[in-house]
Amino acid sequence: MNFSWTSDQIEFKNKIIAFAKENLNIDTIDRDQNLNFSRLLWKKCADFGIQGLSVPKKYGGKFEDIDLLTATLAMEGLGYGCNDNGLAFALNAQMWTVQLPLYEFGTEVQREKFLRPMVNGDKIGAHGLTEPEAGSDVFSMTTHAKKVEGGYILNGKKRLITLGPEADLALVFANVNPKVGKWGVTGFIVEKGTKGFIQSPNKAKMGLRTVPIGDLIFEDCFIPEENRLGKEGAGWAITSYSLEYDRCSILGSQLGAMERQLETSIDFVKKRQQFGKSISTFQSVSNRIADMKLRLETSRLLLYKVAWLKNEGDSAMLDAALLKLQLSESFIASSLDTIRNHGGSGFLTEHEVERDLRDAVGGVLYAGTSDIQRNIISQMLFSK
């Protein structure tokens, strides 16, 4: 593995940081408090080229085709420059769990009809997998699709779907043959306004409040056959393929946020005076800074390793689980340390550090809990 970056890659990352700082840190406190999702900022990201990072340029992107390592570095830059963790989370969710599967498994007609508008920012896509009784065990889903003339009839409910209330289309997974378990799971593209397709209102939540999350309900919802993604029973392969890429980039944005946290903490404790001296000289404070740096760098190494493995075309299930566990827990711990370093000011919304803690907790829950990652890791080790 070679973790060095070319001058072009570093320049690209810095370009994204500059874009994010200049354009995306607008009314973040207000939007967080009021659960407001900004289509304006979403479109700004598309116009710059963010949504095009996951697919070839021919589908509307602004940059030459880039590899996953460079895309991961770019999303790290976005997380560093943009203080709205919800926006970065939502962008990654669409790019890697909706756009990428459409490109890899969709027909050319599907790519032109659905992929291009998402890259351009004209449409928003959601990934419909989790259900009320199928969270960790997603392939125990009860949402089913019955084959009929010309297509399928969907019935069921999806829960905690990122961008669900706002989406113009959803990549939904349903089982066409429950007798064969996960091998019956199939992907369908469901368009907003389709009869029998109901999108719940945005749900209030602890963190990631600037990205809408809700339920998708299907009541005798007819989906034409041309909106099936891939073959019947290919849903498990499609989901497994996309989620490893999703983890690299979502966690890349979180890594960028952790670096921003560290710099914010260092700047604050160096300036803050107590007992006639900078609080950075206090051992308890300086030790927290050291711990934050250690978490950042160990997380960075795991992130780059997983991105490198996927870039080489290798499986990274174990490494991706290790990364998810390490970085998610590190983001929470460093968010707490940032608040402690800021003292009473860290508890106040106006200083914008308490939001990272709430967002970090949300990231763990919505991207797979730490307990799940520990189970995956132990099961893979035991099976050797």
Side-chain angles (χ1 to χ4, degrees):
M1 286 177 289
N2 182 356
F3 290 152
S4 61
W5 301 100
T6 67
S7 58
D8 287 344
Q9 288 172 315
I10 295 298
E11 183 181 351
F12 185 48
K13 178 185 178 183
N14 289 336
K15 184 177 180 180
I16 289 177
I17 291 172
F19 159 75
K21 285 184 175 181
E22 183 177 348
N23 295 281
L24 303 183
N25 298 330
I26 301 171
D27 298 327
T28 310
I29 292 176
D30 180 71
R31 289 187 292 106
D32 173 76
Q33 290 182 330
N34 293 291
L35 294 105
N36 287 340
F37 171 74
S38 174
R39 282 241 180 189
L40 174 62
L41 296 185
W42 188 271
K43 191 66 170 71
K44 283 187 176 183
C45 289
D47 291 342
F48 178 80
I50 297 297
Q51 284 93 316
L53 294 176
S54 64
V55 295
K57 185 179 179 180
K58 65 178 288 189
Y59 295 106
K62 301 296 189 295
F63 307 111
E64 294 300 324
D65 300 348
I66 62 174
D67 59 19
L68 181 63
L69 270 170
T70 307
T72 300
L73 185 68
M75 299 316 289
E76 180 184 337
L78 183 74
Y80 175 83
C82 175
N83 62 22
D84 182 354
N85 299 311
L87 177 61
F89 186 92
L91 287 164
N92 278 297
Q94 175 180 287
M95 289 163 57
W96 305 101
T97 65
V98 186
Q99 291 180 197
L100 183 64
L102 270 170
Y103 168 68
E104 293 289 349
F105 301 96
T107 65
E108 194 59 33
V109 172
Q110 289 172 340
R111 291 171 183 170
E112 288 295 331
K113 183 177 180 180
F114 302 116
L115 180 56
R116 187 178 294 278
M118 284 192 287
V119 171
N120 292 338
D122 295 328
K123 289 189 176 181
I124 291 177
H127 180 258
L129 185 63
T130 302
E131 298 186 0
E133 301 303 325
S136 307
D137 184 14
V138 294
F139 294 112
S140 292
M141 65 177 63
T142 59
T143 299
H144 60 277
K146 180 182 178 182
K147 187 75 173 70
V148 296
E149 184 178 354
Y152 298 80
I153 299 293
L154 264 62
N155 279 283
K157 181 178 181 180
K158 299 296 180 178
R159 177 175 179 260
L160 297 174
I161 305 303
T162 302
L163 292 168
E166 192 75 22
D168 300 293
L169 63 98
L171 174 54
V172 177
F173 293 89
N175 205 321
V176 299
N177 187 1
K179 292 181 180 179
V180 296
K182 65 183 181 182
W183 303 112
V185 174
T186 304
F188 299 93
I189 304 164
V190 184
E191 299 177 72
K192 188 184 187 75
T194 299
K195 185 178 179 180
F197 176 35
I198 303 166
Q199 298 167 261
S200 80
N202 185 20
K203 293 183 180 293
K205 51 193 179 298
M206 175 182 175
L208 298 173
R209 291 167 60 87
T210 58
V211 52
I213 290 177
D215 301 333
L216 305 179
I217 302 165
F218 309 94
E219 297 177 349
D220 292 330
C221 182
F222 175 76
I223 307 300
E225 189 158 357
E226 59 263 29
N227 279 23
R228 188 187 69 211
L229 184 66
K231 298 179 180 179
E232 283 191 11
W236 181 80
I238 292 171
T239 299
S240 298
Y241 176 85
S242 65
L243 285 179
E244 286 186 7
Y245 287 88
D246 175 54
R247 282 172 178 151
C248 282
S249 294
I250 280 185
L251 295 175
S253 295
Q254 289 188 354
L255 185 78
M258 286 174 61
E259 186 160 8
R260 169 167 45 82
Q261 278 183 334
L262 177 60
E263 292 183 4
T264 298
S265 283
I266 290 173
D267 184 61
F268 182 86
V269 300
K270 286 172 66 176
K271 294 177 179 177
R272 174 69 169 164
Q273 296 280 321
Q274 288 289 283
F275 304 102
K277 57 184 177 180
S278 166
I279 65 171
S280 64
T281 62
F282 299 161
Q283 189 175 42
S284 58
V285 173
S286 61
N287 284 353
R288 281 196 290 269
I289 295 294
D291 288 342
M292 291 174 71
K293 178 64 173 176
L294 178 61
R295 294 186 201 107
L296 176 68
E297 296 305 326
T298 52
S299 298
R300 191 190 306 276
L301 288 172
L302 274 171
L303 174 68
Y304 292 174
K305 180 183 179 183
V306 172
W308 177 79
L309 286 170
K310 296 307 298 178
N311 214 48
E312 295 292 307
D314 296 331
S315 175
M317 185 175 293
L318 175 59
D319 296 280
L322 289 166
L323 167 64
K324 181 68 185 71
L325 176 61
Q326 164 67 20
L327 207 153
S328 297
E329 293 294 324
S330 292
F331 193 19
I332 290 176
S334 289
S335 296
L336 278 169
D337 279 346
T338 301
I339 292 173
R340 291 183 179 115
N341 288 334
H342 281 71
S345 296
F347 193 65
L348 300 178
T349 298
E350 65 185 86
H351 288 275
E352 298 198 71
V353 296
E354 56 84 26
R355 186 174 64 245
D356 278 342
L357 176 60
R358 294 187 283 107
D359 291 343
V361 173
V364 169
L365 294 175
Y366 286 110
T369 68
S370 294
D371 287 341
I372 296 171
Q373 306 311 316
R374 290 186 176 95
N375 286 340
I376 292 172
I377 293 164
S378 61
Q379 289 169 11
M380 293 191 72
L381 293 175
F382 291 150
S383 66
K384 289 185 175 181

